Amino acid sequence: MSTLHLDLAQTQEQQLDELLRTLPAPEEPARGVVADWPVVTSFLADPSWEILFKNVWSAEGGAVSESVLRRPASDAMPPEEQRLAVKIYVSSLGPLEAREYFLRQALSPAGREPLYELEKHDDVVILRLAAPLPAAGDSDAPVNNDSLLLLYRNVVFDLRSYQSTVNVRRLGLRLQHFAEQFAGRELKAQDAPASQLAHRNLDQEIVVDLPATPDPFGDFRGTDFDVKIQASGAVAFLGFQGPTARFQQLGPGEGSIRVQTIHRRTLLASEVAVNLP
Amino acid sequence: MSLQVRMKSVRFVGGLPVAWQGNPIWGPHWEEALKASLQEGADGSRRPAVYRINAQVEADVVLEIQGAGGGGPRTLQGSLGGFTLQGTLPLTDGTQTVRVSGVLGNAIARHAGDAVWLLLLPTPFLVGKTRLEVFSVFDSPAPFFTAGVWCEALRLLNGKARVSGSTTRPQAMATLTSFCHSHHSLKYDAHNALNAYVAGKFGGRFDLSAFLSAAHPLVSCFDLLGALVVLGGALGIPTRWLLEEDDFFIKTTSLIGFGLCNNPFFLDKNTPLVIGANEMKRTAFNQHGFCESEAVIYDACIGPHLGTEARQGYLNAAVDDVNRRGLPIPLAATIHDELSIGSLV
């Protein structure tokens, strides 16, 4: 694995861009990681980590799963609660979109120019955003606010530690080794969750079929899917009814509907967008 | 047969768009069939409604009446905390839909809990209780609330952030800024100022879900700027995303999470929070973001600055021109507007 340090003659963007160009050309049709992602705590040796916050959302060409873990302070540990944030981005389209996502995350990360170092090995790129802090007091274990981005094929791992003794580089490589077992699968549209425009009827009602049925209040947390609805302009959202989202066209004006669907375990995503009239 | 009245549903009409868990809420806002699962937390609802301050709130209440005996028009009254809705109905048997209305106060507020509904007969008749939650805000939410304003954000604003009771936008922004600076358990990333919630220095995506629970403890100035824009936007307060890219040293002031400081990247250089003005290891901002609303500045990162200064006044108050590099106070003309927040997750 080669390590590249900041070259002051080049901008960070130039260096990253050049590095990403050396990655293997994406295959046709697009291939990548299609994994059933386990809970993030399973990648940590210490069982005292617990999940504080979890969310999934649609991102450019894919989806992000964000988990924030905490490890309560104890006598043997640093005085502050330790936290660890793990974001996993999976492109549903292929490695090119993941490279663009990686670049965006790398180039706009901070309120100041971050110190960083780059590593590359075959199709793995690691960008360290923060230089490690010195060990606290006389402790042998370095307590870091550490941060790195790791790109592997169609996946980007974004790891941050706060007051934590976790080695984020090692964690990143553990996640990447897991992903490696599920790489090389063809990224077919049928792997993504299927939301599709069902029909428009004479009452100007528009129906979008969903891959799951939410609870009566539109909560999908009990299902394998996350669904986000947007209706704007001359369109009103009427509600969910079984595995459908229903909309009403309110008149002759322009309107739009957007339904984003994410499979929570694979993080494959799809989107239905309808512009009216 | 004695009078029997059952609440069937309550549907607010004409409110502002509102979202729960990021998806739009649809009515009715209370249904008999779902009453057990409508409750959220101690007094919240899974289908809240949002209106502008001073708005006339209207709702359609569906009742099932039996044993009315052909009475004349009667008043139906619902009370939710200090907020009252009233309407009249002919007291006849069958299913009746009653349009009730009430006027909200002139302040940011949250009215929540089990509304008590009475028929105002000579002896008031208790019809029933319905779990409702109604917010009042200044105006329509900012456009990045594409599914409607997040009720979770309004709960934070009216709860921990103590913005309820604000009658003016500057008052609400000052309270919000003070909350972000001092009461949300956030600390400045005094090492690298990595963004934790916002995509970048120009704005973009903001991780509101995580911000509501302060999931990431370390923040940059842009995270705090994003929070002011987003939470101000939830209340219908227009803001601008301002960026100063000239280097500047800060006067000794409160740095979020640390207290008095004139050396914001003190962890990077392993130096004290407050250091001699001309010390070689004293650190400066090389870019800094802050929020403007109604031509005054709000900054939850340093200060905090609570809307008492315009652009130049803010720079004069915040920047220390006694420093090792002889950097002057930047001119307000060097501040520029950026894109601001584009989406929420």
Side-chain angles (χ1 to χ4, degrees), chain B residues 255-270:
Chain B
L255 177 68
I256 184 168
F258 290 105
L260 289 180
C261 174
N262 68 352
N263 179 28
F265 297 106
F266 67 95
L267 285 179
D268 197 31
K269 302 283 185 190
N270 204 16

Side-chain angles (χ1 to χ4, degrees), chain A residues 181-258:
Chain A
Q181 301 170 58
F182 305 95
R185 277 194 59 179
E186 195 177 324
L187 293 166
K188 291 178 293 195
Q190 59 263 36
D191 286 333
S195 288
Q196 52 190 339
L197 182 66
H199 64 271
R200 303 179 195 190
N201 68 22
L202 293 174
D203 297 329
Q204 303 297 309
E205 190 170 309
I206 300 146
V207 178
V208 175
D209 281 339
L210 306 171
T213 301
D215 83 354
F217 305 98
D219 188 352
F220 285 85
R221 284 179 296 187
T223 76
D224 279 341
F225 300 91
D226 183 74
V227 176
K228 289 286 184 287
I229 301 285
Q230 287 176 24
S232 61
V235 179
F237 176 54
L238 298 178
F240 295 106
Q241 197 175 83
T244 66
R246 292 175 178 268
F247 303 85
Q248 176 106 48
Q249 195 166 354
L250 298 175
E254 290 182 7
S256 68
I257 292 170
R258 201 168 166 210

